[in-house]
């Protein structure tokens, strides 16, 4: 039996039926639904399945915070059909065997494509390159490498990594944080608020100097660098300049950096402790403008689940990070009101898939394309309830907020994974 989606609005524009058979979109247009499973999609917007370049699934090692299964469930509920699982697990994903294990766990869960990200350096230590080539040649087919959570701060190591991955079309995703300017204790944007609250400052320049160095290394090596979780107007300026020079640089922004500001830290609520930190209004405005004009290529969640005992501390001692897979689309829709659905598909599906080299993801909804898609109610207003999350963690900065748009159905490889907002 095939699946027929009736009357969906493709990218918010043309209304059409979709016939899905054998894991692909077989027909687009007016489809006879007799004898087939049917999803009534009148009033819903159809988008290609979302792709997240930056997800922490915590397994192996911290299954009390998240597992590949629970993270996959949260991703499907958020409209995702592919996520890139970051390497800072225990053990670190710095070998081919570790990468294949994460890949296998994703296949076992079966709700989204889980693509492992390999570490750049062994044990995230910043000194010796990890098994980049072996991870790339493994069944997992790793193409993105990152020490996320730590910066590859040694320029020589970063240069070598860029030269190495160039041979197989890989990309280095950098956590841009100069440790001499923003050390491990830095937890609040450096400014009036950090001084008043007595919190260690994290200056924007600590991000910007690494971004500037890395785009120059990308030009020198002819390789690709991706800037993770851009958070400052200064970084936007550097990236815009680098792209104008033809450098192979791409960048992502998180939903929370598009909407939340450093003012939220005045209550010392550790939910809002994130790395890089929340920034002032002027940085948020610059990030929104850069996403709209294409300077920033993609939205990535940096979904960072934590067990309660890691978050429920004094602000300076609490773990960094927020969950975000289930709320990313409505947050982006709320923050970027003027952005069309086609542009949302660009920054949350098409471009992330291209950056990650996921050929079967992020494709237009046309005959012959893999059947990865999400159906969204654009008029819904949802009040976020952290306790209703599929994630094991509750460090949700959106709890109690009203957001625009709701994921109604998710289809992964032709199979309905979320129906009417509930895991199928």
């Amino acid at each position: 039996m095939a699946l027929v989606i009736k009357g969906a609005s493709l990218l918010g524009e043309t209304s059409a039926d979709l016939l899905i058979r054998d894991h692909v979109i077989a027909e687009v247009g007016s489809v006879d639904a007799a004898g087939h499973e049917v999803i009534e999609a009148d009033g819903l917007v159809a988008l290609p399945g979302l792709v997240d370049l930056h997800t922490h699934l915590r397994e192996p090692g911290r299954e009390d915070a998240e597992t590949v299964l629970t993270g996959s469930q949260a991703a499907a509920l958020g409209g995702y059909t592919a996520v890139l699982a970051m390497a800072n697990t225990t053990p670190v994903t710095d070998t081919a065997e570790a990468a294949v294990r994460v890949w296998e766990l994703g296949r076992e869960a079966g709700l989204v494509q889980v693509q492992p990200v390999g570490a750049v350096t062994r044990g995230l230590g910043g000194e010796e390159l990890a098994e980049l080539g072996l991870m790339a040649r493994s069944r997992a087919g790793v193409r993105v490498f990152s020490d996320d959570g730590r910066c590859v701060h040694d320029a020589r190591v970063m240069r070598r990594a860029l030269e190495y991955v160039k041979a197989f079309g890989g990309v280095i995703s950098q956590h841009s944080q100069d440790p001499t300017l923003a050390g491990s204790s830095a937890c609040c944007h450096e400014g009036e608020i950090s001084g008043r609250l007595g919190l260690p400052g994290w200056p924007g320049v600590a991000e910007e100097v690494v971004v500037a160095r890395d785009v120059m290394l990308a030009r020198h090596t002819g390789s690709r660098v991706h800037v993770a979780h851009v958070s400052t107007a200064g970084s936007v300026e550097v990236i815009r300049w680098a792209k104008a020079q033809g450098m192979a640089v791409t960048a992502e922004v998180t939903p929370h950096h598009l909407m939340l500001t450093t003012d939220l830290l005045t209550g010392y609520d550790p939910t809002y402790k994130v790395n890089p930190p929340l920034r002032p209004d002027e940085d948020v405005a610059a990030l929104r403008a850069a996403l709209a004009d294409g300077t920033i290529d993609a939205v990535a969640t940096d979904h960072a689940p934590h067990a309660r005992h890691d978050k429920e501390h004094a602000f300076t001692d609490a773990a960094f990070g927020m969950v975000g897979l289930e709320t990313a689309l409505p947050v982006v829709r709320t923050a970027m009101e003027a952005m069309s659905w086609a542009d949302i598909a660009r920054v949350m599906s098409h471009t992330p898939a291209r950056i990650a080299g996921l050929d079967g993801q992020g494709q237009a909804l046309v005959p012959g394309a893999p059947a990865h898609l999400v159906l969204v109610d654009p008029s819904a207003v949802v009040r976020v309830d952290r306790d209703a999350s599929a994630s094991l963690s509750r460090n949700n900065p959106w709890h109690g907020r009203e957001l625009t748009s709701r994921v109604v159905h998710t289809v992964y490889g032709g199979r309905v994974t979320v129906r009417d907002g509930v895991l199928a």
Side-chain angles (χ1 to χ4, degrees), residues 28 42 53 59 71 82 123 176 186 254 272 277 281 348 352 411:
V28 177
D42 184 44
L53 285 167
E59 187 178 10
S176 303
T254 71
Y272 299 112
D281 290 328
M348 298 189 75
V411 178

Side-chain angles (χ1 to χ4, degrees), residues 9-100:
S9 176
L10 307 185
L11 299 181
E13 299 170 358
T14 305
S15 182
D17 304 335
L18 299 171
L19 174 65
I20 295 172
R21 180 187 289 121
D22 297 330
H23 315 296
V24 301
I25 298 173
E27 295 181 32
V28 177
S30 181
V31 175
D32 182 2
H36 301 309
E37 179 185 359
V38 176
I39 290 179
E40 295 291 346
D42 184 44
L44 302 183
V45 173
L47 306 173
L50 307 184
V51 176
D52 189 20
L53 285 167
H54 196 142
T55 301
H56 297 274
L57 296 180
R58 303 303 187 204
E59 187 178 10
R62 288 306 305 269
E63 290 83 355
D64 57 330
E66 197 76 287
T67 66
V68 171
L69 175 59
T70 59
S72 295
Q73 291 171 337
L77 287 165
Y80 286 91
T81 56
V83 298
L84 273 71
M86 302 307 286
N88 58 340
T89 49
T90 307
V92 173
T93 307
D94 58 3
T95 67
E97 291 81 4
V100 168

Side-chain angles (χ1 to χ4, degrees), residues 264-322:
L264 290 167
L265 273 59
T266 56
Y268 293 99
D269 184 346
T271 302
Y272 299 112
K273 183 181 180 183
V274 66
N275 190 349
L278 302 180
R279 302 292 189 184
D281 290 328
E282 54 268 30
D283 289 305
V284 172
L287 295 172
R288 290 183 181 185
L291 183 65
D293 69 21
T295 300
I296 293 177
D297 301 86
V299 173
T301 69
D302 196 5
H303 175 80
H306 289 291
R308 289 183 184 273
H309 61 264
D310 290 324
K311 265 293 189 182
E312 293 179 351
H313 290 280
F315 193 90
T316 54
D317 298 325
F320 289 100
M322 305 167 171

